[in-house]
Amino acid sequence: MTVKAIQRVSVGRNGIGAFILQCKRLDFHYCDWAGSSRGMNLFLQHNLPLFAASHPSIEIHVSPRPHKHPVIRGHFMNGTQHSICVRNLTKENVLKKAEILRDMSGEKARKVKGGRAVASLNESTRGIWSPFHGAKAPSFQG
């Protein structure tokens, strides 16, 4: 019996097996006049073209907001929006905030239930540790 190779190329299945950024759009709002937008204006002039070219899947909107602090707003696949105020930040810090929004999932931050790092349905085989278990406390004679 002979072995035959498969003649088909794998078919894309709408993101299964591939990483898709959850951020679909970033809005950059700035003011030309205010000093708090200085870092945002420098970012828009120098860093934004490189950022946009390296992330073609993210739609970029730039719009002025006169007499307001600069804001970056992220729109996500699940319909949520998150805003980060970038007033008085340098252009490098504005880039870091844009990368934070790019990497977000759009979900709300959730508290870990029970304060445990690992959630399990099974209890520990040793039980819950307590400092009162085990050897007797040393007695001091004085």
Side-chain angles (χ1 to χ4, degrees):
M1 182 195 286
T2 61
V3 177
K4 294 183 181 180
I6 298 174
Q7 296 293 327
R8 285 196 293 161
V9 178
S10 64
V11 179
R13 299 190 188 270
N14 195 14
I16 296 175
F19 179 74
I20 296 176
L21 285 172
Q22 295 299 303
C23 182
K24 65 179 181 178
R25 187 172 95 197
L26 287 176
D27 296 337
F28 294 90
H29 301 288
Y30 68 98
C31 176
D32 286 328
W33 178 78
S36 64
S37 291
R38 185 175 299 124
M40 175 67 104
N41 290 334
L42 290 173
F43 170 79
L44 294 175
Q45 293 170 1
H46 300 289
N47 297 11
L48 185 64
L50 297 173
F51 182 81
S54 63
H55 305 292
S57 63
I58 299 177
E59 186 178 338
I60 305 285
H61 286 216
V62 178
S63 62
R65 269 180 39 171
H67 310 292
K68 304 252 187 207
H69 289 301
V71 173
I72 304 173
R73 182 171 292 127
H75 300 266
F76 299 93
M77 295 281 197
N78 60 0
T80 59
Q81 298 178 12
H82 291 280
S83 299
I84 296 179
C85 182
V86 291
R87 68 172 181 226
N88 298 326
L89 294 181
T90 63
K91 67 179 181 176
E92 292 83 14
N93 290 338
V94 173
L95 177 63
K96 287 180 185 176
K97 297 297 183 184
E99 289 172 348
I100 287 172
L101 280 173
R102 174 201 67 191
D103 296 337
M104 284 178 81
S105 67
E107 294 290 327
K108 276 186 157 183
R110 287 186 237 152
K111 184 178 179 182
V112 177
K113 291 185 179 180
R116 296 183 183 182
V118 176
S120 174
L121 298 176
N122 302 326
E123 288 296 323
S124 171
T125 56
R126 295 183 179 183
I128 298 172
W129 181 84
S130 170
F132 301 110
H133 292 109
K136 290 183 179 180
S139 61
F140 296 101
Q141 297 174 358

